[in-house]
Amino acid sequence: SAREQELNDKDKKIQEQQISLNNQLKEYENRRANIEQNARYLTGMPPKEAVNILLSMDDQLVIDILRMVDELASRSGEASIVSFWMSLMPAERSAAIQRKMAIKPETE
């Protein structure tokens, strides 16, 4: 019947939305895991080298990594190296990143 077909279509739509949501979540988790890995890797190297690598990235990725470095530091009760990294960056780039961090508190 038409009613059954309508219900089946609705079920199908809900299933598709669920799959889409699960995929987005997985992508987010993978991205977060990658950012954490990068953050740990950069924190473990000499600051000047870390900053050179950060400077080659786009601002949003830099911001995500800086936030993660802050998060990891506060989790382990250590001081974050972020402000030192920022001091090693060219003033314009550092200011641009700080401005964007202030405007956009969290990534989607």
Side-chain angles (χ1 to χ4, degrees):
S1 75
R3 180 90 181 110
E4 271 177 38
Q5 188 57 51
E6 194 185 320
L7 288 173
N8 283 340
D9 289 348
K10 269 192 181 146
D11 275 354
K12 211 176 200 163
K13 205 174 182 99
I14 289 169
Q15 278 178 327
E16 282 167 10
Q17 285 171 334
Q18 191 65 49
I19 290 166
S20 165
L21 209 60
N22 287 340
N23 288 341
Q24 283 175 352
L25 208 58
K26 198 176 271 150
E27 260 175 49
Y28 172 76
E29 283 167 6
N30 289 346
R31 179 173 164 74
R32 197 175 152 78
N34 286 338
I35 287 168
E36 184 166 340
Q37 207 173 1
N38 279 319
R40 290 182 189 280
Y41 173 68
L42 289 165
T43 305
M45 63 170 55
K48 276 201 168 77
E49 281 179 42
V51 168
N52 282 336
I53 291 170
L54 286 166
L55 290 173
S56 72
M57 299 174 178
D58 70 78
D59 284 357
Q60 188 53 59
L61 186 54
V62 172
I63 289 168
D64 290 341
I65 289 172
L66 296 182
R67 288 209 172 105
M68 181 60 75
V69 170
D70 276 343
E71 188 183 314
L72 293 173
S74 82
R75 261 196 254 163
S76 64
E78 292 167 12
S80 172
I81 196 167
V82 166
S83 54
F84 184 56
W85 282 350
M86 297 298 268
S87 75
L88 296 175
M89 288 182 183
E92 269 178 41
R93 184 81 194 270
S94 171
I97 289 168
Q98 286 177 317
R99 194 171 58 246
K100 286 180 184 178
M101 283 176 94
I103 293 167
K104 197 166 177 243
E106 278 303 321
T107 50
E108 291 83 59

